[in-house]
Amino acid sequence: MLLDLLVILTIFSFAIPIAALLTTGTKALYLTASVTMASAVVAGVIHVLFDLPIWVVWMATIVLPSISLVVFRKTRARIKNSLSSIKTSLSEKASLGLTFMFLLLAAISIQPPLKWDARSIWFHHASWLNGPSTFFLEAQYLPAGSWPDYPFAGPALMALAWQLTFQVENLWLATQVIAVSVVLVAAFSAQALIDRFGSNRNWILRTAVLLAFLSAATQVADGYFNAGYQDTLLAASVAALFSAVLANELGKHQRLLMPTLIFIAAANVKQEGFWFAIGALLIATAITTFRKDFWSLLLIPMALGTRALWTAFSQSIGMPDNSHTDKVLERIPLIFSPGSEWSEKVSEVIQTWVIPHSLPFLILTCLSALGIALSGGQGKEKFLLALAAVVTPVGLLGTAVLTYALGETHDLQWWLGTSYTRVTSTFELLAISFAAIAVLVSLEWDTQPAVTNTKRKVRR
Amino acid sequence: MKPKSLLGVIVLLLIFLVPSSFSISTFKWLEGVASRIESPVTADEQLELDFLSCMERVSESIPSRTNVFIDVPDGNSYFVQRAQDVLYPRLRLVAENPDYIFRVNPMAPSTHANKLLTSENCSGVLIEVENAS
């Protein structure tokens, strides 16, 4: 298990030069997971269309550019400068140590590759991508397995790890790739918020927030982050996207490129990934636009563009459409008719699942909003952030509730029972993201003590 | 303590709680790690891993890239899905005109209208491979 961890971290480390030009410090190290995932998605698409092995495309998109960046003196200096804070900052060292500890513990506690969805969807899709492209193309019409139309960020990453280690479908390694990705993406998400909203805070408080966030990430989605499921990876990726847009204070190119890469990763983890990611993106860009960062508006057409590319790809290879959601939009007006089938279904979902399982997180969002509103900082911006603290998680939860209640399903309670706690993990981790912001802005435990001016009386 | 600081402390403590069990998430995480270190694979999990290995071993009698029909007489979706993820993509799965039939848990031994290649009991589940061509 530890050897597999070393292998996975080595694969991700090839993306460090690229990540270090997009962000700084430990965030650059953590961002390597999202960068590698985005490249794996692209590699998977190119593999299916042109029958090129995934590892070859990864070499062309990550390894060769990274080597070039290190060879050229100017970019090498920038990379070194970007990572220099890790050596000098106590907070960064604590962050790295804590994250590494989580990686180590995740590696030695991997669950056997047996969980239902993990085996029948994600590992299976990884094996389709691991051979010639005919395997993936045939699976679209043969009775070969579940959900051939699902996106494949996770499976492509698994296939990449298999190909680079010459292992034929080692499901334990595949499980660990996802677990490591979850820890790194969650760490990026938390660190971005900590650096943005708690830059002056004492290192102990900053580390406590990171510890809380990473611990929470291991527990959402039924704790399946290291069982091969993709739900926690989706939750962490959407949270990372939100943090990346909100917290990005570098030049305009980094403001566009980093969130775009994270969006490609997040939107391709699961089928609902695009909808959750675009929702988080819209709200984050609303906040940054208010701060007069108009460049971030370009992220929206970029996000829609990546979706258009995926649609074109899926149609070109004849992917079936298994979605439950065709009729959701047209049924929304019907939920306002009392006594209608759809309003009763919405009621059923809220009473049987939202209240017992999600109410604590809804309370957390309200407290977070209050904490942000009471904090210092510019009035209108903090009001917008406080509003987003409620709207973003509740919006995501509402999307999930409407999909369950209004989508095509014959056994609603079975569907809820087998998936609700996993699908709502994105809402939960976003609620925790805003709670982290609230903690950082409320608790004024600063590294530097306040300077007090004392007036000395001058004797004449 | 200022009200906003008190609220900040409360929110920090709430992040640490796992709402479903009101336990501290860090401790729950460490408990999970400890139980996995103690028992990396439980007895039930080992049984399932053995079953899947056995299923894969039985399928090795079928040449690669031939057309196979998965026959699960009682329609057990677990057997259907596990057979799919073990067999494909090494074998092509088809709904008709197969070269081979991969039968899982037949209610009665097959009449063997086709030539029986392999039959094995995998953890109490009978798996048979027949040549259908």
Side-chain angles (χ1 to χ4, degrees):
Chain A
M1 300 302 174
L2 292 180
L3 189 59
D4 285 348
L5 174 64
L6 192 61
V7 163
I8 295 164
L9 292 178
T10 305
I11 294 172
F12 285 167
S13 70
F14 282 98
I16 290 176
I18 296 172
L21 293 181
L22 298 176
T23 187
T24 58
T26 48
K27 293 193 299 292
L29 301 181
Y30 305 153
L31 184 63
T32 55
S34 296
V35 172
T36 309
M37 269 170 64
S39 90
V41 171
V42 170
V45 169
I46 291 176
H47 159 73
V48 173
L49 291 176
F50 303 108
D51 205 10
L52 278 175
I54 282 176
W55 74 270
V56 169
V57 183
W58 170 78
M59 290 281 286
T61 54
I62 296 286
V63 178
L64 293 176
S66 288
I67 290 173
S68 311
L69 290 171
V70 170
V71 161
F72 287 116
R73 198 170 41 165
K74 207 172 169 186
T75 47
R76 188 169 68 241
R78 278 179 61 191
I79 292 165
K80 231 174 137 177
N81 189 44
S82 174
L83 299 174
S84 60
S85 62
I86 300 173
K87 269 200 277 188
T88 55
S89 160
L90 180 56
S91 174
E92 296 264 282
K93 286 179 196 166
S95 165
L96 200 56
L98 183 65
T99 303
F100 186 72
M101 194 196 72
F102 267 81
L103 287 172
L104 214 58
L105 295 179
I108 61 178
S109 62
I110 289 295
Q111 301 186 38
L114 292 169
K115 291 284 183 289
W116 183 264
D117 271 8
R119 188 122 191 158
S120 64
I121 303 174
W122 310 111
F123 297 145
H124 205 199
H125 287 212
S127 66
W128 304 354
L129 292 169
N130 198 30
S133 60
T134 43
F135 287 178
F136 192 91
L137 292 168
E138 279 179 352
Q140 304 306 311
Y141 60 87
L142 292 180
S146 310
W147 314 112
D149 57 323
Y150 272 16
F152 47 58
L157 205 53
M158 295 175 192
L160 176 65
W162 289 340
Q163 289 173 10
L164 291 176
T165 54
F166 308 106
Q167 297 189 70
V168 180
E169 299 178 15
N170 178 342
L171 299 188
W172 293 86
L173 173 64
T175 309
Q176 195 163 146
V177 157
I178 301 303
V180 168
S181 300
V182 168
V183 173
L184 290 177
V185 175
F188 170 84
S189 181
Q191 193 66 46
L193 295 176
I194 289 166
D195 288 349
R196 170 69 175 84
F197 294 100
S199 55
N200 290 334
R201 297 292 183 254
N202 189 283
W203 72 272
I204 296 174
L205 176 60
R206 288 157 61 96
T207 310
V209 170
L210 178 63
L211 173 65
F213 196 95
L214 288 177
S215 302
T218 66
Q219 298 303 307
V220 297
D222 300 329
Y224 282 166
F225 86 101
N226 63 352
Y229 274 60
Q230 306 293 300
D231 305 275
T232 317
L233 184 57
L234 174 60
S237 297
V238 172
L241 173 66
F242 188 83
S243 303
V245 176
L246 205 60
N248 204 348
E249 291 184 325
L250 295 180
K252 45 183 171 288
H253 298 114
Q254 290 96 332
R255 275 194 208 126
L256 294 179
L257 193 49
M258 181 169 70
T260 300
L261 289 174
I262 300 175
F263 182 89
I264 292 171
N268 287 285
V269 175
K270 285 189 75 185
Q271 215 174 17
E272 64 266 27
F274 171 76
W275 301 106
F276 288 171
I278 197 84
L281 183 65
L282 285 172
I283 294 181
T285 49
I287 296 171
T288 52
T289 305
F290 188 82
R291 287 206 303 249
K292 297 191 172 32
D293 175 14
F294 299 112
W295 277 95
S296 59
L297 285 172
L298 284 177
L299 290 170
I300 298 169
M302 280 170 116
L304 295 175
T306 61
R307 176 67 173 188
L309 286 172
W310 173 263
T311 306
F313 163 72
S314 59
Q315 284 175 355
S316 73
I317 65 167
M319 265 187 185
D321 181 7
N322 290 313
S323 86
H324 296 289
T325 54
D326 291 349
K327 304 246 189 275
V328 170
L329 285 174
E330 63 183 69
R331 286 173 181 161
I332 287 176
L334 299 174
I335 63 177
F336 299 105
S337 313
S340 74
E341 176 193 356
W342 308 111
S343 70
E344 281 180 9
K345 277 194 168 177
V346 169
S347 228
E348 182 186 348
V349 174
I350 291 173
Q351 282 171 27
T352 58
W353 285 89
V354 174
I355 291 174
H357 294 275
S358 303
L359 189 58
F361 286 97
L362 289 170
I363 293 171
L364 184 63
T365 62
C366 295
L367 290 175
S368 304
L370 193 59
I372 293 168
L374 290 177
S375 69
Q378 292 182 345
K380 285 182 185 166
E381 187 182 333
K382 78 174 178 190
F383 171 73
L384 198 60
L385 198 56
L387 185 65
V390 176
V391 167
T392 320
V394 171
L396 246 71
L397 180 64
T399 305
V401 167
L402 288 178
T403 307
Y404 277 117
L406 308 182
E408 298 292 334
T409 178
H410 300 292
D411 190 344
L412 180 59
Q413 285 302 323
W414 174 87
W415 192 22
L416 286 162
T418 54
S419 67
Y420 181 88
T421 48
R422 293 184 290 110
V423 168
T424 51
S425 58
T426 305
F427 143 76
E428 292 175 0
L429 215 52
L430 267 178
I432 288 170
S433 299
F434 280 104
I437 295 174
V439 168
L440 290 163
V441 299
S442 312
L443 292 177
E444 290 170 352
W445 182 15
D446 292 345
T447 309
Q448 299 297 331
V451 173
T452 51
N453 289 318
T454 54
K455 285 185 181 173
R456 289 178 66 186
K457 283 186 184 172
V458 175
R459 283 189 184 174
R460 294 186 182 217
Chain B
M1 190 183 261
K2 292 180 194 170
K4 68 174 180 177
S5 298
L6 178 62
L7 189 59
V9 169
I10 291 170
V11 170
L12 181 60
L13 292 173
L14 284 177
I15 304 175
F16 270 110
L17 285 183
V18 178
S20 58
S21 60
F22 284 101
S23 43
I24 308 287
S25 56
T26 312
F27 293 155
K28 210 160 153 57
W29 153 236
L30 291 173
E31 256 175 41
V33 170
S35 78
R36 267 299 163 193
I37 291 172
E38 193 187 337
S39 174
V41 181
T42 64
D44 284 344
E45 287 165 346
Q46 190 58 55
L47 206 63
E48 191 172 355
L49 285 169
D50 292 342
F51 166 71
L52 292 166
S53 295
C54 180
M55 184 185 263
E56 191 164 1
R57 202 169 50 244
V58 172
S59 75
E60 282 166 6
S61 60
I62 307 173
S64 295
R65 296 269 89 203
T66 47
N67 292 340
V68 176
F69 172 68
I70 295 174
D71 180 18
V72 179
D74 64 357
N76 185 313
S77 61
Y78 171 78
F79 290 144
V80 171
Q81 284 200 292
R82 288 299 178 256
Q84 283 172 344
D85 78 45
V86 166
L87 300 187
Y88 189 80
R90 191 181 74 81
L91 306 172
R92 295 182 80 249
L93 303 182
V94 297
E96 53 189 14
N97 301 323
D99 300 316
Y100 296 88
I101 297 174
F102 190 87
R103 187 168 288 116
V104 182
N105 215 30
M107 291 171 203
S110 170
T111 53
H112 302 311
N114 302 305
K115 181 182 166 191
L116 182 69
L117 283 182
T118 319
S119 177
E120 191 165 336
N121 185 322
C122 295
S123 306
V125 177
L126 183 64
I127 299 181
E128 297 179 329
V129 174
E130 292 179 5
N131 189 332
S133 55

